[in-house]
Amino acid sequence: MTDFTVEERAARPWVGVSTTGELAHWGRVNAHVPTIYAALAEAGGIPLGGPIYQYRRLRTATEPMDLTVSVPVSACMEIGDGFETGEIPAGRYLVARPEGGPDILDRVHAEMWTWAGEHGLDLAIDERADGIHWHARTEQFLTDPESEPDRSKWAIEVTYLLR
């Protein structure tokens, strides 16, 4: 079982690319990561950590989902055409920091939903006909895959904004 905490967080600025992707073709989503880091470097920006996947709309894991692939920065900044800037909102978050890389994320998310329900926490979501719309749901990779090639040792931070 994964350990969970509830944390109060400040807004987190980011630069990135919004896209629609599906797990079966996740390489297309991941292809944005080096492009964002390169554009950020060219614009003189400094990344404040690993990439953050911000999930905005999801129906099922097998269907396309709307998300933003982003990189945290100290302040919102423009880095060129095709890139966006914004903030992950401030607020109370349910947080997990498991090790195991992307292979464990399905289990972690299921455990988080269960744990939130058991502890009376209300996830900040809107359920609509086209799926669940998240106010803020993120996965940030804390381990650099170039320095640790073993995916089972990758640390990830998973967060859900609470109402």
Side-chain angles (χ1 to χ4, degrees):
M1 175 90 173
T2 306
D3 291 326
F4 305 109
T5 60
V6 175
E7 300 176 8
E8 189 71 34
R9 293 183 162 211
R12 297 181 65 199
W14 55 265
V15 296
V17 175
S18 290
T19 188
T20 298
E22 47 192 287
L23 291 177
H25 304 286
W26 203 248
R28 295 177 192 161
V29 173
N30 283 335
H32 293 292
V33 173
T35 305
I36 298 166
Y37 278 102
L40 182 59
E42 189 172 310
I46 299 171
L48 297 180
I52 301 173
Y53 296 81
Q54 301 176 54
Y55 297 87
R56 296 187 322 273
R57 185 195 58 83
L58 172 70
R59 180 175 281 176
T60 69
T62 59
E63 295 181 62
M65 61 190 85
D66 298 330
L67 69 151
T68 301
V69 180
S70 62
V71 173
V73 291
S74 61
C76 291
M77 63 182 290
E78 298 299 323
I79 64 171
D81 289 340
F83 298 96
E84 303 168 50
T85 189
E87 290 184 329
I88 298 169
R92 286 181 57 228
Y93 282 82
L94 175 58
V95 179
R97 292 182 188 88
E99 281 192 10
D103 301 330
I104 63 156
L105 288 173
D106 284 346
R107 178 182 55 79
V108 171
H109 286 287
E111 289 176 0
M112 288 181 87
W113 276 74
T114 300
W115 196 88
E118 290 171 352
H119 289 82
L121 300 174
D122 188 15
L123 302 178
I125 62 173
D126 296 317
E127 295 190 54
R128 302 180 191 160
D130 65 342
I132 296 172
H133 290 253
W134 300 92
H135 294 230
R137 170 189 165 181
T138 68
E139 297 169 355
Q140 181 175 13
F141 285 76
L142 305 176
T143 304
D144 180 355
E146 291 188 15
S147 64
E148 177 52 73
D150 183 351
R151 291 167 54 114
S152 71
K153 295 180 182 176
W154 292 0
I156 300 171
E157 180 181 79
V158 180
T159 69
Y160 289 79
L161 179 64
L162 301 171
R163 290 193 198 270

